[in-house]
Amino acid sequence: MSAIDHYINAVIVRGTAEAQEDGSAAVEAHHLLLAIASLEDTAAHRVLTSASLGRQTIREALGQEFEHSLNAVGVSLASFDLPRPSRDPKHSPKVGPSARLALERGFAAATGKKDLRPAHLLLGVLDTEIGTVPRALVLAGVDRVGLMARARETLARESW
């Protein structure tokens, strides 16, 4: 297996762990973003940290997005004492539609598999104007388009 194959596998495995931690039935794009933020020593990780987006910061932004989405439909999270998500150790979340699309966009951002690098996967996750990831980034005050530009610049000058 090539280095990128190992990296993709690590992102999916870590994304699955993030989904399990959330009690989610599926691994979605925001779980992949958390996974990318967790895997150090890559250009994708450096792009995120240059925008002060570590795993914990992203997790907090996703929490804000969840609360904001509930407020949009008239539900106040503060009004409820919600239990922690339940986890079924026998159930492994499957790759959901937003994660699948993010991976496809990341692969398409490269000119071929030999060119595929971690920053391409980050681009795939960031390259959407709708969904949990862009809403969370807006609430965190992050310029998603600027972050994508930084990822592209990194691809031009860094090999991994």
Side-chain angles (χ1 to χ4, degrees):
M1 234 191 314
S2 69
I4 193 64
D5 290 327
H6 286 287
Y7 180 77
I8 293 167
N9 185 61
V11 166
I12 292 172
V13 167
R14 182 69 198 152
T16 300
E18 294 288 353
Q20 285 175 318
E21 185 177 322
D22 284 350
S24 297
V27 178
E28 297 296 351
H30 62 281
H31 297 119
L32 298 182
L33 182 60
L34 288 164
I36 291 168
S38 298
L39 298 171
E40 298 178 1
D41 298 324
T42 67
H45 183 265
R46 288 187 291 279
V47 167
L48 290 172
T49 57
S50 73
S52 300
L53 287 172
R55 182 191 173 277
Q56 187 58 39
T57 306
I58 293 168
R59 173 83 43 210
E60 290 166 5
L62 291 168
Q64 287 179 317
E65 188 278 333
F66 179 67
E67 187 170 357
H68 186 265
S69 293
L70 288 176
N71 286 337
V73 294
V75 177
S76 171
L77 191 57
S79 300
F80 299 95
D81 186 23
L82 297 177
R84 294 277 309 143
S86 60
R87 296 177 198 108
D88 182 355
K90 299 175 196 162
H91 173 75
S92 182
K94 305 296 181 221
V95 176
S98 69
R100 190 172 297 111
L101 187 57
L103 290 169
E104 289 171 5
R105 284 192 304 259
F107 298 158
T111 56
K113 186 174 180 195
K114 288 185 178 189
D115 181 49
L116 188 61
R117 296 187 305 258
H120 287 109
L121 295 183
L122 177 59
L123 280 172
V125 171
L126 296 174
D127 191 16
T128 183
E129 294 181 20
I130 58 171
T132 303
V133 170
R135 287 191 307 264
L137 292 176
V138 165
L139 290 169
V142 175
D143 174 13
R144 182 184 57 82
V145 174
L147 196 59
M148 289 173 62
R150 201 170 310 154
R152 285 188 189 97
E153 290 168 8
T154 300
L155 281 167
R157 68 176 191 273
E158 291 189 44
S159 62
W160 190 254

